[in-house]
Amino acid sequence: MIKIRTDLALENRQMYKENQGGEAPGILMKQRQHGGMRVTEIHVMDQRGSQALEKPPGRYITIEMPPVNEMGGAMKQACADLLARQLGKLLEVGKDSKILIIGLGNHNITPDALGPKTAGRILVTRHRFLLLDQKENGKLTNVSVITPGVMGNTGIESLDLIKGVTRQIGPDAVIAIDALAARSMDRITTTIQLCDTGISPGAGVGNLRRGINRETLGVKVIGIGVPTVISAASIVEDYMGEGVFPDFEELLRQEREVSEDMIVTPGNIDAVIDAFSVILSRGINQAIHPQLTKEELEEYLS
Amino acid sequence: MIKIRTDLALENRQMYKENQGGEAPGILMKQRQHGGMRVTEIHVMDQRGSQALEKPPGRYITIEMPPVNEMGGAMKQACADLLARQLGKLLEVGKDSKILIIGLGNHNITPDALGPKTAGRILVTRHRFLLLDQKENGKLTNVSVITPGVMGNTGIESLDLIKGVTRQIGPDAVIAIDALAARSMDRITTTIQLCDTGISPGAGVGNLRRGINRETLGVKVIGIGVPTVISAASIVEDYMGEGVFPDFEELLRQEREVSEDMIVTPGNIDAVIDAFSVILSRGINQAIHPQLTKEELEEYLS
Amino acid sequence: MIKIRTDLALENRQMYKENQGGEAPGILMKQRQHGGMRVTEIHVMDQRGSQALEKPPGRYITIEMPPVNEMGGAMKQACADLLARQLGKLLEVGKDSKILIIGLGNHNITPDALGPKTAGRILVTRHRFLLLDQKENGKLTNVSVITPGVMGNTGIESLDLIKGVTRQIGPDAVIAIDALAARSMDRITTTIQLCDTGISPGAGVGNLRRGINRETLGVKVIGIGVPTVISAASIVEDYMGEGVFPDFEELLRQEREVSEDMIVTPGNIDAVIDAFSVILSRGINQAIHPQLTKEELEEYLS
Amino acid sequence: MIKIRTDLALENRQMYKENQGGEAPGILMKQRQHGGMRVTEIHVMDQRGSQALEKPPGRYITIEMPPVNEMGGAMKQACADLLARQLGKLLEVGKDSKILIIGLGNHNITPDALGPKTAGRILVTRHRFLLLDQKENGKLTNVSVITPGVMGNTGIESLDLIKGVTRQIGPDAVIAIDALAARSMDRITTTIQLCDTGISPGAGVGNLRRGINRETLGVKVIGIGVPTVISAASIVEDYMGEGVFPDFEELLRQEREVSEDMIVTPGNIDAVIDAFSVILSRGINQAIHPQLTKEELEEYLS
């Protein structure tokens, strides 16, 4: 069996099926259509499911949609609405909760800038609570944001910085946004994944070493990710189809080393990242400030 | 007596003399020339000195030099060398210490971007120690960097973020870099202040509320600041000289409100900030990595 | 008589009245209220008016409004609508015209970044006409954008670059956006000026030497400006009122030199520039693409 | 025969040899070692050579060196020196010439930002000649810089903008810097190509349609390029070796469409671009200001 890394539970499940010829054990899966978009919820129930999908047990929600760079404004809003509903289900926190948003990734590398870019569009409010020294602030939820950057620039592992801040400000839930790696080219520009298991080691272009999750932070961590790159190894396999190569495994063994150094991404990745950061930030803002109307949200953000 | 805010101990001492007609009590002061530059060390000894200069007790070192935008490369290096020596005296930590550098300020407002810009040029090494899982790493000191941003964008007070990180990574000393406010126009482009009392509330354009110092962080905090703005109130007084106005106090009372909203800065402030970030980062890198030659430093940074 | 430089025709007219005790000759002036905003149109009719207001003969429209950083989204849209109507009157070109937008200023200096920031939000379409090799393109107008930068970085005077591009692509009208200098603090955050005389020498923080207008470009040039700085000289006078100083003229003579080097700007100038770039770009987009509904505009830009 | 696009004459010549089993006709080739680097000069003599290498007739100089991200400062300087010498040979203009530098590419997409980044480090001097209104200025050459951006943002084809500026300021020679596409992964981080045929259509990630060369601009155009991406098509072939696929041509036909949309680039591309922009700008500065010592250059640039 050949293993190719992807951050998408959906792709891992598909690969399992292709390679094993049957549904992965220990998982539950639901799919629904929502006006041109599809929502797939995979519940990894136990260790068997975890092993089959190479993901920690938990809920993985994937939203599939038309290419984001071809979407008009109305479709983007519909997509943000759908994201907001799914995120709301995972968050399960009330309006009086304190939420910390984390924009992971390197803002200097275009396909890895999704986290920082999205973080920059969040309606941040914690300082309003501080200035007025109160726990309540009308319809607003208490929200703060950090963008930990990359270890090569700061010398500090993202998890260490996040742990320090989490301990200092005590959020009830953390939402971590990251760029992901996918196995198939079609995924780029069309997929959002949410999960309640946080961010797993090695995800995306970033340099994370340890997971950002309830185990390491002590509070609920929702991960929101968008595939923006594929590995060099994957791109080869996509074209190969099944069985063309006699020495397929050997080939991929060589590729694995390459794939650590090379990323594949659309040529218009700057526009793609920009579009996704709009959709993600809208969906997140709607979910974390549930008492605000869209008009009020826009007033605050404009 | 009229009080005008400045972040420079040197200017406060000068104002005290002008207003009171004598040397401020409770301070010691030394001045030396260094090839076209002047170093003034003011030691605020006790509460009397602290009240007279409106500064916490401690050591304040001011480097005065020719306008930074007219300096050539050799003079800049001489200035960095002088800064490195003065910083070394205040730091008093060995090569095996762990140092955390903090770039304060808002990178989106040109005169407030000095901290983040300087931080971006520091030789960061902590991750090398982590990756190799060792306490020693040849000639390198263990250095990390954060740029906490501004509360309006993150919802998190700089001090909270710094506290969280400090507790998490346990540095032996902290160096905080910030843009300052001065009282006199001439100060902009010609002055660097170092002190062992950290960053005091209300300094610079930033939005700091509480001090960043040994009391709040639990470790030694060196503050390095450069005046990049003056308050609108100050600029009026500079032109007025002494006693021209009958209603001077009333005038300044009005101005004080204005000065919170307005900043005065050179038209070429982007070049000034750029030049200072080169000088500061060089001086700091030399002081924190004392075992590296300048050539080795450049190799690491290039 | 003391002269203080401002780029606003409205302020020059006011100064003339204050200093001369009567209305300036050779001008026509109209004022109307528009739901919390005021539109003043000053028509400089002849050389007498031009001398009195230190502005070339032409039409100067000033929109005064509440502070832009306190505005909600609805008020911003109302302001953009008003700007679009006024701009439409000055442009007087049909949908089939070719329009070149110029974002003047230095994107590295916050208060001077208005031109480049606004230019970045314009609905650019010229390449769609090129790709399809047609003169007509549905409801879209043929629009291109340049941001010439500053001479210190490019070695090229803005006017030279604009002339070269204008000759090459042959627009029917040019719209030049620039940051301006005002005399009074209140102007910053509350004023937009439009005129059909282009950009006059020495305006704003920039380094323009010659005017950008019909004489130098050979086509109609609309100037759109927002005061984002005041000169150091102006700030002193604002506080002085009339006649306080015995040696007022001497004082201002000294200040004039200073004012070339110093700029005064609000501390939150980054948010102010951001808000104005949204209002300006919306108003301009509505005026240059008159056949698009606001919803269609948003679809194109999202 | 299968054709895979590369911007490197060196790779095209190698492919010709592999596919045809002999040296390409109509070319001259020289190779020399320079302390760890290799310089290959390919002279495309006539139409046969042009057809064989798919390049216009002219001189193509390739510098091959160790990976730029592993180089120390001394090696970088040696590389810049070598580049300066090769560029000097192609430029063949005296110190009194006027030179226009063009930084092609999109500064928002990391691997395409090489041109703008390098342009930002050039010693620009034309405005000094303008201000003093003189043709001579000590040891300095008359140098200006533009970064035309991408058509999607400006609506203006790079060539149109460059033509307009060239006609307006009349340079004696143009140097155009661009990111290139290579066929082999090893090329990224190790290769610089210079040529006297300018920039050919379709090079790099950019959106150029027509060549930037003596035919279109009327003056000598030197192209300087660095491969920063490979096409998705190329990466597959690299792994395939020779003859593995039965349906190889069909496969590549499909890939060609993909490769227009996908780019492959190193994960640390931001550091790679940064390092190359330092080397390129140093080499160019040394070549265009031949009368300045390296120390004087640094004085001007610091």
Side-chain angles (χ1 to χ4, degrees), chain D residues 82-99:
Chain D
L82 183 56
L83 170 60
R85 283 199 302 277
Q86 303 301 326
L87 176 56
K89 289 196 308 190
L90 291 183
L91 260 182
E92 284 177 335
V93 294
K95 181 235 145 200
D96 289 334
S97 309
K98 280 160 69 177
I99 296 182

Side-chain angles (χ1 to χ4, degrees), chain A residues 65-73 75-76 79 185-191 226-227 266-277 279, chain C residues 128 299-302, chain D residues 260-262:
Chain A
M65 53 197 178
V68 78
N69 45 318
E70 296 167 14
M71 268 186 197
M75 187 66 194
K76 275 184 192 159
C79 186
M185 283 190 198
D186 313 332
R187 291 286 164 206
I188 319 282
T189 77
T190 62
T191 314
V226 169
N268 63 342
I269 183 66
D270 58 335
V272 170
I273 293 290
D274 214 54
F276 267 120
S277 75
I279 291 172
Chain C
R128 298 173 184 250
E299 283 284 314
Y300 272 112
L301 288 166
S302 75
Chain D
E260 287 185 23
D261 288 324
M262 305 300 286

Side-chain angles (χ1 to χ4, degrees), chain A residues 89-236:
Chain A
K89 289 196 310 191
L90 291 183
L91 259 181
E92 284 178 334
V93 293
K95 181 235 146 202
D96 289 335
S97 309
K98 280 160 70 176
I99 296 182
L100 171 63
I101 312 278
I102 298 169
L104 293 164
N106 185 345
H107 71 96
N108 282 323
I109 297 185
T110 316
D112 200 29
L114 178 73
K117 274 216 148 183
T118 304
R121 298 175 188 268
I122 296 299
L123 175 52
V124 173
T125 59
R126 184 174 173 272
H127 54 301
R128 298 171 186 251
F129 290 75
L130 284 181
L131 294 176
L132 303 171
D133 194 22
Q134 57 191 18
K135 295 211 168 166
E136 227 262 339
N137 198 327
K139 296 174 168 183
L140 295 173
T141 304
N142 185 322
V143 175
S144 48
V145 161
I146 57 169
T147 52
V150 285
M151 203 162 63
N153 296 333
T154 65
I156 304 174
E157 215 177 330
S158 292
L159 179 60
D160 275 337
L161 200 145
I162 295 164
K163 264 185 176 173
V165 173
T166 299
R167 202 185 301 175
Q168 190 67 25
I169 71 176
D172 298 298
V174 166
I175 299 173
I177 308 152
D178 202 7
L180 305 180
R183 180 177 160 243
S184 162
M185 283 190 198
D186 313 332
R187 291 286 164 206
I188 319 282
T189 77
T190 62
T191 314
I192 301 171
Q193 177 178 274
L194 294 86
C195 67
D196 60 4
T197 59
I199 302 290
S200 299
V205 189
N207 62 350
L208 300 169
R209 300 291 145 124
R210 291 171 287 162
I212 298 171
N213 49 43
R214 185 186 284 277
E215 283 68 46
T216 52
L217 294 190
V219 296
K220 174 182 288 211
V221 182
I222 307 295
I224 301 182
V226 169
T228 63
V229 299
I230 53 174
S231 71
S234 308
I235 203 178
V236 179

